[in-house]
Amino acid sequence: MCSSDLHSELAEWCRKNRLTRQRDEQLEQILEINPDHEAAHRGLGHTLHGPKWMTRHEAMLADGYIRHNGRYVTQQELDLLGKTQDRRDAEQQWTEKVRLWFGWADGHHAARMAKGVHNLQEIRDPHAIPALVRIMAEHDDPEVRRFFVRLLAKLDGPEPVAPLVHRSLVDSVSSIRSEALAAIDPSQHKMAMALYIASLQNELRLIVRRAAVALSQVGDRNAITPLIDALVTQHRYRVTYEQRAPSYGVGSDGSIGFANNTSGLPANIEGLARTGQLPYGAVVLPPAGGTVTKTTIVKRRERNVEVLNALKKLTNQNFGFDGRTWHLWWAANQNGSDWAP
């Protein structure tokens, strides 16, 4: 019996005896041995979030929720809690207007369509941004999302930055991502850079790479250290594969043999064998097709060419993917006068 099995038995004993803390300790020991042990994760209340097991708190944060006064809220809800009544009223009024005008623009009456498009294009009040985000940012039609980006491009100040950064990272259409990045005014680059730097730690490698591309355009020397740290990143991938299904031989004495590797005998067959109800033995055939589909999680360290290209552009240096050399060079040059963006 392997050590994880021993911890599993102890955890089950603790559960039956209502020793919650001790049970959790045993489950955590299992995860130290096997980080992908499903039963231990579920026993601790973890959930599978994409390819990664997370606590409820981690899963809520990954989904964009924020813990506030003992409960989880979205960023929009948190923003709303901190707004003045006047601002909430203004945003509500804009929600009604934007919904009406978008309905016109998305309709079939030519005059109203033109009026709706015109009214939306004339928006200059940042209080309208939450309504634009809710109604247009994730629309199925890419041309609606493109129109949304162009509306935000006309607005000044910090309010349009976060939705433009988000669209530049996640939109499925490359030209829309490019427009969103280009729509960020130089006066907004500092705020945008902070958001892109945070995205270098994203679980999805695709987002890391897109953030690096953006930083090559809006970044400055403050982005260099985070970029160095993101030259090589580790990601988890869910891999599905086919495995030959097991067949079993059950002796008349209840002994069990396997024709190929398996995780266990079907419960009903094992019960019959153990209680002597199969005096002549039995053979359990594999399911039709002879294969079963399994899923596993694999970890890989990836080199991010886009990150290296951003570093080369910002520093005029090239140390490849050697993070240690990059850090040594940057430490020696941070206070020097030879740094050239």
Side-chain angles (χ1 to χ4, degrees):
M1 181 179 293
C2 67
S3 56
S4 62
D5 291 336
L6 291 172
H7 288 297
S8 295
E9 288 190 1
L10 285 170
E12 179 62 14
W13 183 87
C14 291
R15 183 188 69 80
K16 291 179 178 178
N17 290 275
R18 300 182 179 180
L19 301 173
T20 304
R21 180 178 60 81
Q22 291 84 348
R23 173 178 178 265
D24 289 349
E25 289 174 355
Q26 294 303 317
L27 294 176
E28 288 167 358
Q29 288 288 330
I30 295 172
L31 293 181
E32 289 186 9
I33 299 168
N34 178 8
D36 295 318
H37 196 285
E38 180 176 352
H41 277 294
R42 296 200 183 280
L44 288 167
H46 298 173
T47 57
L48 193 59
H49 191 279
K52 185 178 180 181
W53 286 101
M54 295 184 178
T55 64
R56 178 174 182 269
H57 176 68
E58 291 169 337
M60 295 298 287
L61 294 182
D63 285 335
Y65 288 88
I66 300 162
R67 191 167 178 81
H68 177 74
N69 290 340
R71 66 187 183 97
Y72 292 96
V73 297
T74 64
Q75 182 62 55
Q76 291 85 354
E77 290 172 321
L78 184 62
D79 291 342
L80 191 61
L81 290 171
K83 291 173 183 174
T84 64
Q85 186 61 48
D86 287 344
R87 183 171 179 178
R88 289 196 292 269
D89 291 344
E91 290 185 359
Q92 180 57 39
Q93 291 173 10
W94 273 114
T95 296
E96 296 168 3
K97 292 178 183 178
V98 170
R99 184 175 289 118
L100 174 65
W101 296 342
F102 180 74
W104 290 353
D106 196 38
H108 301 286
H109 189 284
R112 281 191 174 179
M113 288 173 62
K115 182 67 172 176
V117 170
H118 173 77
N119 288 353
L120 291 170
Q121 289 176 328
E122 291 299 307
I123 293 175
R124 295 295 182 272
D125 186 349
H127 290 112
I129 293 177
L132 294 173
V133 170
R134 282 193 296 272
I135 295 169
M136 303 175 67
E138 304 293 339
H139 200 280
D140 291 339
D141 187 344
E143 291 311 310
V144 172
R145 303 197 303 272
R146 192 187 308 277
F147 185 56
F148 163 75
V149 167
R150 292 175 179 175
L151 293 181
L152 292 191
K154 298 178 180 181
L155 302 179
D156 299 324
E159 289 86 354
V161 177
L164 284 172
V165 167
H166 183 70
R167 192 80 350 234
S168 75
L169 291 173
V170 305
D171 203 281
S172 59
V173 179
S174 61
S175 60
I176 295 178
R177 296 197 303 271
S178 297
E179 280 201 48
L181 177 57
I184 300 172
D185 187 81
S187 64
Q188 300 166 325
H189 279 186
K190 185 173 183 179
M191 180 177 177
M193 183 179 68
L195 296 173
Y196 286 125
I197 287 174
S199 297
L200 291 175
Q201 300 179 35
N202 197 281
E203 291 184 355
L204 296 178
R205 183 179 178 225
L206 183 63
I207 300 299
V208 174
R209 295 164 60 193
R210 289 175 179 173
V213 171
L215 285 169
S216 70
Q217 299 184 45
V218 306
D220 60 23
R221 61 190 295 144
N222 293 310
I224 292 176
T225 295
L227 282 167
I228 294 173
D229 291 336
L231 278 166
V232 181
T233 50
Q234 179 170 284
H235 301 274
R236 296 161 63 96
Y237 301 94
R238 185 189 298 272
V239 178
T240 301
Y241 64 96
E242 288 188 347
Q243 177 175 306
R244 180 173 173 77
S247 59
Y248 314 86
V250 183
S252 60
D253 61 352
S255 61
I256 302 169
F258 304 107
N260 51 38
N261 189 32
T262 180
S263 59
L265 192 68
N268 60 328
I269 300 298
E270 184 172 6
L272 292 172
R274 299 302 186 194
T275 56
Q277 299 181 59
L278 295 175
Y280 303 107
V283 174
V284 183
L285 297 176
T291 60
V292 293
T293 300
K294 292 195 172 185
T295 300
T296 189
I297 304 297
V298 297
K299 299 177 184 178
R300 289 186 57 183
R301 289 183 63 77
E302 306 275 12
R303 291 184 171 187
N304 300 310
V305 174
E306 295 82 357
V307 175
L308 177 59
N309 290 339
L311 280 170
K312 288 160 62 176
K313 182 175 180 180
L314 290 173
T315 67
N316 292 322
Q317 302 291 326
N318 184 9
F319 302 111
F321 292 96
D322 186 348
R324 181 175 180 276
T325 300
W326 274 107
H327 277 300
L328 289 173
W329 171 82
W330 183 229
N333 285 271
Q334 282 192 70
N335 298 319
S337 58
D338 59 340
W339 186 83

